Amino acid sequence: MKYQDVLDVLRGGGAREWASGVLGDIAGGRSGVRAVRHPLGFVCLPLERAGELGVCLHLWSATLPQARSTTSQVHCHSWDLVSHVLYGEVRNVHAVVTDAARDATHRVFEVVSTPDGDVIRPTGRTVRYAAGQAELFGPGDTYTLSAGAFHSSVIPEGGEAATVALGRGRPGLGDLSLGPLGTPAHQVRRERLDDDGTARAAELARRSLWTSNTPGG
């Protein structure tokens, strides 16, 4: 299903039924999708990547294998985000980032994705970071975030959550992350789950989708 088709589904209130069908196909091995452990702590099911457009399902669960970030959870995208919560709660914490030199708390890192993983490159930009406004979103909620806006996505400890994430790339912008001042350049491999692991993740999300106590839109 294409970006615009999924966006229309979200706007029409059919996200839960659509996601259930997609997850069922993945769990049954009928889609060819392979799950990826993302450094930001979720498991990604990549559904479409066509030029500047992308559609993914993001799954957070303590029962799923998690990758760890080598910088921090605070990041910004090179693409405009539309995120729809299927179940659970997601706290979107806006970051207050101020350029600084002597009293800097973080360095800005460029994140370049390659077929072999992410290349993390320190830039010359150092900043002071503070947590800003926090917005809490639950099942059925949709929120947007412009490219270039630093933020972090926080799931309550031990919580389960899933979102539909749609991205529209903005030419000329890059993916960035905040990290410790002295962290050197390095590469992080994104681990793909095998077919069984992908199927288990999809089935877990499909069941959680229908056992959630509140509507998922």
Side-chain angles (χ1 to χ4, degrees), residues 41-187:
F42 55 83
V43 168
C44 175
L45 296 172
L47 305 182
E48 185 206 20
R49 186 63 183 266
E52 297 299 323
L53 302 178
V55 180
C56 298
L57 293 177
H58 292 171
L59 315 178
W60 287 266
S61 173
T63 65
L64 295 176
Q66 297 181 10
R68 292 187 178 182
S69 172
T70 57
T71 50
S72 79
Q73 295 293 307
V74 182
H75 63 284
C76 72
H77 306 291
S78 61
W79 33 272
D80 294 326
L81 169 70
V82 176
S83 182
H84 179 89
V85 182
L86 292 167
Y87 61 83
E89 291 184 332
V90 178
R91 182 173 288 108
N92 182 46
V93 182
H94 296 269
V96 179
V97 176
T98 307
D99 288 337
R102 276 191 256 178
D103 58 347
T105 60
H106 292 77
R107 183 176 299 280
V108 177
F109 290 79
E110 182 184 22
V111 181
V112 179
S113 295
T114 73
D116 294 325
D118 296 327
V119 178
I120 316 296
R121 297 172 179 158
T123 71
R125 183 184 176 192
T126 56
V127 301
R128 287 193 308 274
Y129 159 76
Q133 178 186 6
E135 304 166 301
L136 184 64
F137 299 99
D141 290 338
T142 299
Y143 65 96
T144 61
L145 193 71
S146 297
F150 279 99
H151 74 117
S152 58
S153 298
V154 180
I155 309 302
E157 187 173 354
E160 307 274 326
T163 64
V164 185
L166 296 92
R168 181 184 290 271
R170 294 274 295 274
L173 295 182
D175 295 313
L176 304 175
S177 178
L178 300 188
L181 293 167
T183 299
H186 58 284
Q187 186 168 353

Side-chain angles (χ1 to χ4, degrees), residues 16-45:
R16 175 175 286 200
E17 291 75 12
W18 169 80
S20 180
V22 170
L23 290 166
D25 286 343
I26 296 172
R30 298 184 293 273
S31 71
V33 170
R34 290 282 294 275
V36 180
R37 295 170 60 193
H38 195 283
L40 291 176
F42 55 83
V43 168
C44 175
L45 296 172

